[in-house]
């Protein structure tokens, strides 16, 4: 039977199951930590205690909130043995269909070899499961020592980030010199630059400087692009560096002083 969920029915009628179905339909059937608060950051306090920070998550459409940090106890390890524990957010449906969520440490099996993760509950409540675990961290233990926790979740970016990834900026002049210009536009994390330079440094191995790109246009590492002139002459390497500086370097052979231009693209 069709039911209007978002509407006044004269009685209480919207259910948590319907809200979960809507969340799952919009956000997907994976489990996510949301990009707010501490994003459930973990801190190792001692050899048998960790703290999980504040955050929000969605597991199989169920929204779970961690309003204050929470301490969890990890069972002590044993000398000469290794173990993997998992910190999970556990959904449970009990008697009278009462639902709950809590953070749980699932203990692994000690071994002298390579440890494996313990089994968790994987039947989604959307498919009728009454217990479901969303893994958050792997806690490796080597003897009595807790190793570095390994995050096992994805952080769901907000819709504003999706909008930014689809929106293109106008064409901007990023470098303006008596020798030429570097213009660019950006769509999300993809940058396209157009170089129009009026004069090239002569000499087989000479180099020149364009200028410095403003912040927000600089790649995360130094990049190199090849410029090919005509008739085997004017071969150059175009360098776009992580600190924003842009340079070019002649690559031997015959080099003239003619103007040159090219387009380069890269991801931020």
């Amino acid at each position: 039977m069709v039911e209007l969920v978002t509407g006044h029915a004269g009685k209480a009628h919207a259910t948590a199951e319907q809200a979960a179905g809507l969340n799952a339909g919009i956000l997907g059937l994976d489990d996510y930590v949301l990009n707010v608060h501490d994003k459930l950051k973990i801190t190792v306090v001692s050899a048998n205690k960790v703290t999980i920070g504040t955050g929000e998550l969605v597991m199989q459409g169920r929204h779970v909130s961690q309003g204050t940090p929470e301490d969890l106890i990890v069972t002590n390890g044993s000398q000469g043995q290794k173990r993997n524990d998992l910190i999970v957010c556990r959904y449970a449906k009990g008697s009278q269909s009462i639902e709950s969520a809590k953070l749980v440490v699932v203990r692994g099996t000690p071994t002298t070899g390579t440890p494996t993760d313990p089994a968790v509950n994987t039947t989604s409540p959307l498919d009728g499961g009454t217990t479901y675990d969303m893994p958050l961290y792997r806690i490796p233990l080597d003897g009595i020592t807790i190793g570095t926790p390994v995050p096992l979740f994805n952080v769901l970016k907000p819709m504003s980030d999706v909008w930014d990834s689809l929106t293109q900026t106008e064409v901007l002049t990023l470098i303006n010199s008596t020798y030429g210009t570097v213009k660019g536009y950006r769509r999300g994390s993809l940058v396209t630059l157009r170089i129009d330079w009026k004069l090239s440094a002569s000499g087989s191995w000479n180099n020149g400087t364009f200028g410095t790109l403003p912040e927000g246009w600089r790649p995360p590492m130094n990049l190199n692009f090849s410029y090919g002139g005509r008739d085997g002459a004017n071969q150059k390497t175009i360098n776009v560096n992580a600190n924003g500086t842009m340079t070019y370097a002649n690559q031997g052979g015959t080099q003239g002083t003619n103007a040159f231009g090219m387009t380069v693209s890269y991801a931020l």
Side-chain angles (χ1 to χ4, degrees), residues 200-206 227-237 248-258 260:
S200 177
S202 61
S204 298
W205 300 100
N206 285 359
Y227 170 78
R230 55 177 297 176
D231 301 328
N234 296 325
Q235 307 296 314
K236 304 180 187 301
T237 297
Y248 66 90
N250 296 341
Q251 297 299 294
T254 303
Q255 296 287 342
T257 58
N258 294 333
F260 66 96

Side-chain angles (χ1 to χ4, degrees), residues 117-177:
D117 293 343
V120 295
N121 301 289
T122 59
T123 302
S124 170
L126 296 171
D127 296 325
T130 57
T131 305
Y132 179 83
D133 294 329
M134 174 183 171
L136 297 175
Y137 292 97
R138 175 184 298 116
I139 307 296
L141 290 97
D142 188 347
I144 62 173
T145 302
I146 289 182
T148 302
V150 179
L152 301 176
F153 55 84
N154 292 319
V155 176
L156 184 65
K157 298 299 183 180
M159 289 300 295
S160 59
D161 285 11
V162 177
W163 173 255
D164 290 343
S165 71
L166 299 174
T167 303
Q168 179 176 304
T169 67
E170 60 181 319
V171 176
L172 301 174
T173 299
L174 306 173
I175 297 174
N176 192 3
S177 165

Side-chain angles (χ1 to χ4, degrees), residues 17 59-60 62 90-94 97-100 121-133:
E17 188 73 26
M59 49 189 296
Q60 303 300 295
R62 268 67 180 178
R90 175 166 291 172
Y91 160 90
K93 179 184 284 189
S97 296
I98 300 299
E99 297 171 294
S100 63
N121 301 289
T122 59
T123 302
S124 170
L126 296 171
D127 296 325
T130 57
T131 305
Y132 179 83
D133 294 329

Side-chain angles (χ1 to χ4, degrees), residues 33-97:
V33 170
L34 304 184
N35 193 31
V36 293
H37 308 312
D38 292 334
K39 292 177 283 192
L40 302 177
K41 179 181 178 181
I42 189 170
T43 302
V44 177
V45 179
S46 67
N48 69 340
K49 184 166 72 173
V50 298
T51 300
I52 305 297
T54 60
E56 312 284 332
L57 63 84
V58 176
M59 49 189 296
Q60 303 300 295
R62 268 67 180 178
H63 173 208
V64 180
S65 180
Q66 168 97 331
T68 57
E70 181 175 348
D71 292 336
L72 297 174
I73 300 301
V74 178
T75 301
N76 288 331
S78 303
Q79 290 285 2
Q81 292 189 318
K82 298 180 180 180
R83 194 179 84 223
N84 282 351
D85 289 358
L86 293 180
I87 294 177
V88 305
C89 182
R90 175 166 291 172
Y91 160 90
K93 179 184 284 189
S95 61
Q96 300 181 339
S97 296

Side-chain angles (χ1 to χ4, degrees), residues 19-29 32 156 159:
L22 179 63
N23 288 339
I26 294 174
L27 303 180
L29 296 178
Y32 297 101
L156 184 65
M159 289 300 295

